[in-house]
Amino acid sequence: MDIINIKFFNNHSVSKNNDIICFPYKKTEALFYYLVINKEASRDELVNLLWEDSKESTAKKNLRNAMYQIRKVFDMDIIISPKKSTVSINSQIHIKTDLNDFFNKENVYFENGKCEFLKGLILKNNENFNWWINNKRQEYKDMNIDKLYNKTKVLMKKRKYEEAIVCAKAFMNEDEFDERAYRALMNIYYDKGSFYKAINLYYRLEKMLDIELGIKPDDKTYKLYKKILNEKNISQIEFKKQSLFYYRDEEIKYILDNYNKFIKGKDSKSILITGEFGIGKTKLKNEIVNNVNKEDAYIIDVTCYEGERESFLKPWNDILINLTKIIKDQNINIPKSWKKNIDTIFPVFDINYENCEKVDLLKVELIKNTIISMITKVSLCKKIIVLVDDIHWMDKDSINLLESLLIRQDNINLIATARTSNEFNIDRFKNFMIKNDKLINIKLKRFDQRQVYEICRSRISKYKFNKKISDKIYRESEGNIFFVNEIIDNINNQNKDKISDKCIEMIKSVLIDLSYESVKILDIASVFSEGFNINILKLITGKSEIDLIGYLDELERKNIIKEDVESGKNKYAFTHNKLRKYILDKQSNTKKRIIYENIEYIFNKNSDNIKHDILFSKLKGFNFNIKPIKENNIVLKN
């Protein structure tokens, strides 16, 4: 028995016994699909549908010819005319379609835009057929959305949250303006306890509707949002929407829950947020500050700077300025002897003493103890949160004083940020605090490709956005949020590939304070687009492997390069391609030419293994005339 298989959705096709049917022209294909959907139609209806502008006699002749051509390609009477005035599909022939499955099976639905009915099938200058097919597309799309919505609700009732999230997101992709999808996903996050994800999703919807349609979310969505805020009280905070904070929900939830425990006198820890440059450490810290109740604690916010790394207790001057303001505002009584001791180093109380004492080591220890006593007294009135940005630039004495304070007192909590490249400056402090169960280290990672896609979709106009653009942004940014935002700003402002001053300063801050030899290594390494080998560096620089490892260790410790352990070839690569491009671009053409000529000389002089290493590393901009080399009788070419 012959079986006809019809696929209506996405890439439509017709087959007979697994052999693809090719229609002679588009109107025969359109006629066939129309009859399969409608089962039967009058000749007048078909003539009006497909040959609306032709004379009646010509149109009917065209219809007869189209029916003949369809029978011919199928080699069977698949189209019949039971009455002279009607045409139908032969019910005796077994026809299977994905549309029947879609209609009759609840679990059959389409995801990721694969629900387009007869995709691409349009007849030129044929309004009637095109109107019919567009209506059908919308009808089936609406049915698919309803199926996705119902499936999401069923999965939620069964508490299959991960499957429900996939289904809800598929629903959202089908129609980004249908708020049912957002409400479903918000409810899933609510049930899972991911309240911040639910709230961020609402803000994303609110922003999208405002930009694209100039409207606000409907009442049902708004009431759900308020319910999540009010019923769960979101860790007793008002979650502000000054900025859409991407994919750090778990970190925010942990820090805010830890903050609540601290306020309530329960077991809590200080927080150290670490990660590479531009990963969003300061942004995360600021987001926390924006979302805590300022009435619960005194907040002291300071920033450390690289130039102050050797300055004795410099960050504490800023801390004490903040503290004295609190003391004055709250009228807290501080003993005069404490003020005198502190003013010996920090003139924050504006007291003029005639007999200034010379500060020795013993006096310094006394002053440190006085500072601890004063902060302790203030913390008895209200708990204190100390925020320190770039704590890795804090001098040793300041770190030791902070450590002594945090170890002794439960009414003082720290939230600090540190760059991975300089984290070694605070290793002793970090390890000591973690060992004593006083500190938790939150390490921020780069965003993955899916997250970058979502960020791009929310920030780029839908008229400019597509997956190809988001994939390009992911490749160039490598998931670093600073570079993601930099590229998106260029797209939105039509500044193609322009590097902002802020971006340049950010990269410079990573490369600062390197030894002369390490800078030379980076200049050479930057010409290799996919990593570089220590053997190549030995030949170019003339330095021993031991010396080179010392310089490479410095660069690795500062998180500028990383070792590619998997390659097993002493291979290194830049932690971010933007660093490599900046180092390469800032070199003069003469300098680059000299490096290239050195590599050309080494390439043609040394063993095939060295040549293979250079080819393996893909030299950037290398266009010299190098003889091809053989390895296992295979010619390798650059």
Side-chain angles (χ1 to χ4, degrees), residues 67-81:
M67 291 166 60
Y68 166 75
Q69 294 293 342
I70 291 170
R71 294 188 190 106
K72 185 177 177 182
V73 293
F74 279 96
D75 193 24
M76 61 170 65
D77 288 334
I78 194 165
I79 290 182
I80 58 175
S81 185

Side-chain angles (χ1 to χ4, degrees), residues 514 518-526 555 560-561 574 583:
L514 291 173
S518 292
V519 172
K520 283 172 64 178
I521 296 293
L522 289 178
D523 287 344
I524 295 166
S526 67
L555 295 170
I560 296 169
I561 64 169
F574 282 86
I583 293 165

Side-chain angles (χ1 to χ4, degrees), residues 549-608:
I549 287 173
Y551 304 132
L552 293 172
D553 280 350
E554 178 191 359
L555 295 170
E556 200 171 0
R557 191 172 67 249
K558 287 183 171 287
N559 202 43
I560 296 169
I561 64 169
K562 60 187 175 184
E563 188 174 3
D564 185 356
V565 180
E566 292 182 5
S567 71
K569 296 188 174 186
N570 297 324
K571 186 186 169 191
Y572 292 81
F574 282 86
T575 54
H576 203 289
N577 198 45
K578 293 279 185 184
L579 291 173
R580 185 193 66 77
K581 287 178 73 176
Y582 172 79
I583 293 165
L584 180 67
D585 292 344
K586 75 180 180 65
Q587 296 178 68
S588 67
N589 289 332
T590 302
K591 187 173 183 179
K592 283 187 273 194
R593 182 178 57 78
I594 291 169
I595 294 172
Y596 292 153
E597 286 174 350
N598 270 277
I599 294 170
E600 180 186 18
Y601 175 77
I602 291 164
F603 192 100
N604 288 321
K605 182 181 177 183
N606 287 279
S607 70
D608 281 358

Side-chain angles (χ1 to χ4, degrees), residues 148-210:
L148 287 167
Y149 180 54
N150 293 331
K151 181 67 176 177
T152 303
K153 289 198 295 184
V154 169
L155 290 168
M156 285 173 66
K157 283 182 181 176
K158 293 180 179 178
R159 295 181 141 349
K160 294 182 178 180
Y161 292 123
E162 296 309 314
E163 292 178 52
I165 287 171
V166 171
C167 218
K169 285 184 176 179
F171 174 13
M172 201 179 291
N173 288 336
E174 286 297 312
D175 187 351
E176 63 179 340
F177 297 112
D178 192 325
E179 293 186 37
R180 290 181 301 166
Y182 292 87
R183 288 197 293 271
L185 202 48
M186 285 171 70
N187 274 312
I188 294 167
Y189 289 145
Y190 174 78
D191 289 346
K192 285 185 69 183
S194 300
F195 311 120
Y196 307 105
K197 281 189 177 180
I199 292 167
N200 261 340
L201 183 63
Y202 177 83
Y203 292 148
R204 197 178 98 191
L205 168 67
E206 187 180 50
K207 184 178 179 182
M208 186 264 295
L209 290 177
D210 182 51

